[in-house]
Amino acid sequence: KAFRNKHPLCTEWQYHTWLDDEYCHDFLNTASCGWDGGDCHPDCPAEFIVLLGNGVCDYEANIQGCKLDEGDCKEANDNLLTKYPNCPHVQYSAFMGDGRCERDELNVEA
């Protein structure tokens, strides 16, 4: 009943136990269902949700809408910005300094 009171417009009320279970369910990823009780991010593409908070910095999810891969990219981002404070490609911080020359946009002096 608390779920229905908090999210009266959500039509998926029978799944209330799935809210806030640390997994983003696509069908609950709506404003009316409170972005799955906070498990989802409204500005993060649904296909990236499975990458969030897995302990690996995934460049696809290293965007503000996905909260910088739910914090997985914080160390890589901080390291990149410390060394190259004007680098506009922070999303790809996981690739920097990995011993491989990849992505043309990263092969520039920043």
Side-chain angles (χ1 to χ4, degrees):
K1 196 162 186 157
F3 172 76
R4 284 181 135 176
N5 290 338
K6 190 172 183 179
H7 305 286
L9 300 177
C10 183
T11 59
E12 307 292 345
W13 61 267
Q14 68 271 27
Y15 299 103
H16 69 278
T17 59
W18 292 11
L19 292 169
D20 197 25
D21 64 355
E22 299 183 10
Y23 181 82
C24 177
H25 305 278
D26 285 339
F27 63 96
L28 293 172
N29 189 16
T30 63
S32 61
C33 292
W35 310 113
D36 193 5
D39 291 332
C40 301
H41 303 278
D43 297 323
C44 186
E47 63 268 23
F48 300 157
I49 296 295
V50 297
L51 302 173
L52 303 181
N54 63 359
V56 175
C57 178
D58 301 289
Y59 80 91
E60 303 96 320
N62 190 13
I63 58 176
Q64 290 298 326
C66 297
K67 296 184 180 176
L68 305 176
D69 197 8
E70 198 63 51
D72 288 342
C73 295
K74 181 173 178 14
E75 184 177 349
N77 292 351
D78 289 349
N79 289 341
L80 173 66
L81 291 172
T82 296
K83 192 169 184 178
Y84 304 104
N86 298 319
C87 183
H89 303 293
V90 176
Q91 179 180 1
Y92 303 106
S93 65
F95 296 121
M96 303 291 194
D98 66 358
R100 297 184 345 210
C101 180
E102 52 206 331
R103 297 197 161 307
D104 289 338
E105 64 267 21
L106 301 181
N107 196 17
V108 295
E109 191 172 330

